[in-house]
């Protein structure tokens, strides 16, 4: 099969488009013919500095497609079925193997391209808001990096749950594209101070919950934006900065900072069911899967470079 591979970490130009052996089907797994690769923020971070588990390495968490092989011990999936899948690596290819547990059937009529982009961003957003963030109707939530894949999902799920939604992004254009998704107030953090803006918007109370996929200096602004008893779901390091923050404001206000990692939950029945629910809800049009742009798989380098140029809102796909 063809795959976008790399032999060393680095900038997007480390990608090469090569022939590699087809993946083998594990007795408890499936192999899919990939119809769409949803490039995750974690894929760009892994390309930059993640471990090369295979060599050449095929990066990538998330892809959707049609099952072409089913392991001998798998009874609930069949050849020809459309599924969306998540695994630690291997999405940037024509074929990918995953544990059967990490494949979610896609309802008939739901575009596989959209389905490919649901599990990680929406599953992560759901866990940040509800399982770990305990968001309730009437609360105010701050979504850092609102235009990210996780951010676009979190804005919609928070709004649907009856929360007031504030989001940050690096430009007014990006914030404009978040309004139709349910964002109540946008903060362009390149122009305006996030903490001051949050305090102004909340009558100096602060927000009840922050979803923070950026870390570093952004995480510091998240801590300083919290209301009394406010919570943070810290879920990523998109800012690529050291996580050196002053946590002292947490104690004085009975505030909390919780790390969230979907990967550690994804094999549980709870997370599996949650992701299937989100796939089904997306198929019914209950929220929007935002696809910014698609590239051919052989242009993986250009697609990663585009994401890192900070122009994308939502997801960028690769099509084999
Ligand atoms: N823990 C988990 O389970 C989990 C699950 C999914 C994702 N994540 C993590 O969450 C983060 C976001 O993932 P995603 O898929 O939503 O990412 P994404 O779609 O690629 O978006 C990342 C966003 O971060 C913002 N950003 C801020 N500083 C940046 C920098 N120095 N370089 C690049 N972007 C920067 C950009 O928005 P602006 O330009 O508007 O600031 C960008 O759009 C990643 O760190 C990812 O690894 C964690």
């Amino acid at each position: 099969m063809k795959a976008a591979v790399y032999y060393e970490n680095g900038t997007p130009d480390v990608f090469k488009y090569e022939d590699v052996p087809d993946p083998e089907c594990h007795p408890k797994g499936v192999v899919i013919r990939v119809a769409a690769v949803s490039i995750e923020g974690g894929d760009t971070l892994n390309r930059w500095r993640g471990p090369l588990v295979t060599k050449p390495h095929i990066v990538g968490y998330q892809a959707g497609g049609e099952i072409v092989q089913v392991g001998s011990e798998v009874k609930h999936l069949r050849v020809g079925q459309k599924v969306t899948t998540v695994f630690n690596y291997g999405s940037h290819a024509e074929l990918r193997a995953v544990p059967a547990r990490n494949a979610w059937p896609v309802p008939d009529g739901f575009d596989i391209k959209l389905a490919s982009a649901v599990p990680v961003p929406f599953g992560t957003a759901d866990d940040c808001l509800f399982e770990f963030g305990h968001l309730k109707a009437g609360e105010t939530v701050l979504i850092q990096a609102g235009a990210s894949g996780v951010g676009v999902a979190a804005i919609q799920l928070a709004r649907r749950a009856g929360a007031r939604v504030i989001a940050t992004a690096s430009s007014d254009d990006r914030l404009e594209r978040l309004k139709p998704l349910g964002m109540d107030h946008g903060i362009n953090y390149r122009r305006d101070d996030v903490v001051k803006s949050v305090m102004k918007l909340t009558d100096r109370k602060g927000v009840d919950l922050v979803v923070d996929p950026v870390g570093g200096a952004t995480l510091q602004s998240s801590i300083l934006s919290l209301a009394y008893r406010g919570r943070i779901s810290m879920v990523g390091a998109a800012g690529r900065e050291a996580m050196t923050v002053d946590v002292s404001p947490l104690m004085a206000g009975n505030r909390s900072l919780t790390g969230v990692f979907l990967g550690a939950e994804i094999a549980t029945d709870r997370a599996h069911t949650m992701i299937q629910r989100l796939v089904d809800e997306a198929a019914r049009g209950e929220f929007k899967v935002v696809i910014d742009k698609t590239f051919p798989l052989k242009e993986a380098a250009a697609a990663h470079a585009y994401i890192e140029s900070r122009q994308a809102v939502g997801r960028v796909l690769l099509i084999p």
Side-chain angles (χ1 to χ4, degrees):
M1 67 166 178
K2 292 279 190 198
V5 305
Y6 53 79
Y7 292 80
E8 57 182 349
N9 292 118
T11 51
D13 55 14
V14 295
F15 275 115
K16 298 181 190 313
Y17 189 60
E18 291 188 350
D19 286 305
V20 294
D22 290 356
E24 284 177 19
C25 189
H26 188 278
K28 292 187 169 138
V30 295
V31 175
I32 68 164
R33 180 167 302 287
V34 174
V37 178
S38 168
I39 305 175
E40 300 304 299
D43 297 350
T44 61
L45 291 175
N46 279 328
R47 189 214 68 240
W48 174 49
R49 64 174 180 194
L52 277 67
V53 184
T54 53
K55 207 154 187 188
H57 187 58
I58 305 175
V59 77
Y61 287 120
Q62 195 166 243
E66 187 175 308
I67 296 178
V68 291
Q69 258 185 292
V70 177
S72 56
E73 295 178 30
V74 178
K75 304 297 173 214
H76 67 289
L77 296 171
R78 57 177 169 74
V79 168
Q81 202 169 7
K82 298 240 171 61
V83 290
T84 181
T85 68
V86 175
F87 195 50
N88 300 342
Y89 53 87
S91 75
H92 289 37
E94 289 179 325
L95 297 168
R96 95 172 302 198
V98 297
R101 186 89 187 144
N102 292 22
W104 291 266
V106 173
D108 288 345
F110 186 33
D111 185 344
I112 192 71
K113 293 196 192 82
L114 300 181
S116 77
V118 172
V120 174
F122 282 89
T124 302
D126 204 285
D127 265 6
C128 286
L129 295 169
F130 307 113
E131 180 71 9
F132 297 103
H134 310 294
L135 183 69
K136 293 189 285 290
E139 289 193 323
T140 301
V141 59
L142 170 66
I143 313 289
Q144 299 275 24
S148 67
V150 171
V152 158
I155 289 169
Q156 296 183 80
L157 297 181
R159 181 63 184 264
R160 185 175 73 167
R164 179 184 179 212
V165 180
I166 304 172
T168 65
S170 55
S171 74
D172 289 340
D173 286 352
R174 288 163 76 65
L175 289 169
E176 203 55 43
R177 290 171 67 183
L178 303 179
K179 281 185 188 161
L181 303 175
M183 181 189 75
D184 295 292
H185 309 279
I187 302 171
N188 174 345
Y189 66 81
R190 289 232 162 100
R191 188 187 55 224
D192 298 322
D193 181 87
V194 171
V195 180
K196 280 189 191 149
S197 304
V198 165
M199 290 304 162
K200 199 168 162 196
L201 288 166
T202 59
D203 293 330
R204 307 221 61 76
K205 287 196 184 80
V207 296
D208 302 294
L209 177 67
V210 185
V211 176
D212 190 334
V214 181
T218 300
L219 182 58
Q220 191 68 65
S221 72
S222 298
I223 291 172
L224 294 170
S225 296
L226 287 178
Y228 181 70
R229 289 195 178 213
R231 295 98 56 198
I232 298 174
S233 288
M234 186 205 103
V235 71
R240 304 177 183 205
E241 294 171 2
M243 294 278 184
T244 42
V245 291
D246 174 10
V247 294
S248 58
L250 296 176
M251 188 176 68
N254 287 305
R255 304 177 177 108
S256 57
L257 171 60
T258 304
V260 177
F261 179 41
L262 182 68
E265 296 276 320
I266 206 158
T268 63
D269 287 345
R270 180 197 69 80
H272 189 85
T273 304
M274 181 251 309
I275 289 173
Q276 187 66 61
R277 169 178 58 76
L278 290 164
V279 170
D280 295 345
E281 287 172 351
R284 292 197 295 269
E286 292 186 21
F287 45 75
K288 199 160 184 280
V289 181
V290 179
I291 306 298
D292 184 276
K293 204 166 174 170
T294 61
F295 291 82
L297 176 61
K298 62 173 181 282
E299 292 175 20
H304 276 230
Y306 175 70
I307 291 168
E308 290 180 355
S309 75
R310 316 271 286 268
Q311 296 171 76
V313 172
R315 277 290 163 256
V316 174
L317 304 183
L318 293 172
I319 308 297

